[in-house]
Amino acid sequence: MRDRRGTDSAPDISVRNLWKVFGGKTASRVPTTPELASLPRAELLKTTGCLAAVCDISFDVAPGEVFVVMGLSGSGKSTLVRCLTRLIEPTAGQLSILGQDIVGYPTKSLRALRREKVSMVFQHFGLLPHRRVIDNVAFGLEIRGTNKAERYRRAGEVIDLVGLSGYENVYPDQLSGGMQQRVGLGRALAGDPEVLLLDEPFSALDPLIRRDMQQEVIRLHHEVGKTMMFITHDLSEALKLGDRILIMRDGRTVQVGTGAELVGAPADDYVRDFVREVPRANVLTLRWIMRPPEGGDDLSGPELGPDVVVRDATRAVLESAHPVKVVQDGKLLGIVGDPEILQVVAGS
């Protein structure tokens, strides 16, 4: 498996001014007609009969990044991810995956992209009930025409990777929901795709199993370094998994940023309400709470990096007789003392 994390290259996914509007012939006019494009979703529907599911969305996803799109039901997030591989045809906008113009892709090339470069994992597992686990995992390779010995060898590697060793020869209905979703992940990984698109894959699972599967995604990402776009309606899941998060509402972008940026500097009241219950100490880093040193400050305290989470720095700060220095590449960025830590912890 190729690990492209940290490479200085073009984004794996690039979306510019993407629209998906449902509603007949008038739908194609909405993105190019300023008066219509600016209407709120409900007003556009009332005026034209068109439903704007995705409205003028733009973002990039870097190689090896976990990019989370979140929003409430009806926000447009699932429509967005289906537009990326043209399972749903976009109405307007530019879209590239791995440097290729997907909007202009002929059907044959698009099918090859889905088979070889991009894999999707859905909420509903879509396993073949009459086939064993190893056959389900190897199914994509079978479609590609990979010979039997090679696809079983590869499927065996992936089964071990997703924690299903010993279950190769059982059938899906003999497995729990969490284990079935592991089969789905294994099937997506078997073809060694460069991009994984996961559309609310754990929303149907029980809370404890869901937590285990979130940890599994984190582990797999650390091991194989795939670019991932993860769709969810759960903020805690988004904060746990995402390097960056895009919040959608009524088809539009509300804010894009790291978890710390969303919690520390919400763009509006909608985001502020979303993050209100988030324990700030678990998300904010020292970069967000440090202050400039003043003349009377003793700078003999210990050093920590600016990206250390407040929760993880609390003991070091409170046990130190002097403020902790926040240092990056040998440069003093600021200091953090008891007042700064306690303000965040108390607010959590």
Side-chain angles (χ1 to χ4, degrees), residues 5-193:
R5 285 175 290 182
T7 59
D8 184 15
S9 59
D12 274 356
I13 301 173
S14 183
V15 175
R16 292 290 177 274
N17 310 115
L18 190 70
W19 287 81
K20 178 57 188 177
V21 185
F22 298 96
K25 295 180 179 180
T26 305
S28 62
R29 294 180 45 231
V30 173
T32 58
T33 308
E35 295 80 3
L36 296 178
S38 62
L39 290 177
R41 176 188 279 179
E43 191 171 344
L44 177 68
L45 181 61
K46 181 179 179 180
T47 302
T48 66
C50 295
L51 177 64
V54 176
C55 308
D56 202 21
I57 295 284
S58 298
F59 61 87
D60 289 330
V61 182
E65 181 177 18
V66 179
F67 187 82
V68 174
V69 179
M70 71 155 296
L72 301 179
S73 179
S75 62
K77 57 190 184 298
S78 289
T79 301
L80 170 62
V81 74
R82 282 164 170 76
C83 284
L84 296 187
T85 56
R86 286 175 49 198
L87 293 174
I88 294 177
E89 289 289 349
T91 303
Q94 299 174 337
L95 167 62
S96 68
I97 295 181
L98 302 170
Q100 301 300 310
D101 174 14
I102 303 306
V103 174
Y105 246 29
T107 301
K108 185 176 180 181
S109 299
L110 188 60
R111 288 174 180 164
L113 178 85
R114 293 170 182 163
R115 284 198 307 266
E116 300 172 12
K117 301 292 186 181
V118 180
S119 287
M120 290 195 70
V121 181
F122 296 98
Q123 174 181 345
H124 302 292
F125 314 133
L127 304 180
L128 302 171
H130 60 288
R131 290 197 172 200
R132 301 169 301 164
V133 165
I134 194 165
D135 298 310
N136 270 279
V137 171
F139 183 68
L141 297 174
E142 182 180 347
I143 295 298
R144 279 192 201 178
T146 306
N147 68 68
K148 187 174 182 179
E150 173 59 21
R151 67 178 184 257
Y152 277 1
R153 182 199 65 78
R154 175 64 182 148
E157 290 180 350
V158 174
I159 283 171
D160 183 59
L161 183 67
V162 299
L164 285 173
S165 294
Y167 294 91
E168 292 89 344
N169 294 312
V170 305
Y171 290 87
D173 63 1
Q174 297 174 281
L175 300 175
S176 68
M179 294 180 76
Q180 289 183 35
Q181 195 58 289
R182 287 175 186 265
V183 179
L185 279 172
R187 183 175 56 191
L189 289 168
D192 195 18

Side-chain angles (χ1 to χ4, degrees), residues 66-69 198 201-202 217 228-232 237 241:
V66 179
F67 187 82
V68 174
V69 179
L198 302 103
F202 309 143
V217 166
M228 297 184 183
M229 185 165 164
F230 194 101
I231 309 301
T232 183
E237 186 167 73
L241 299 178

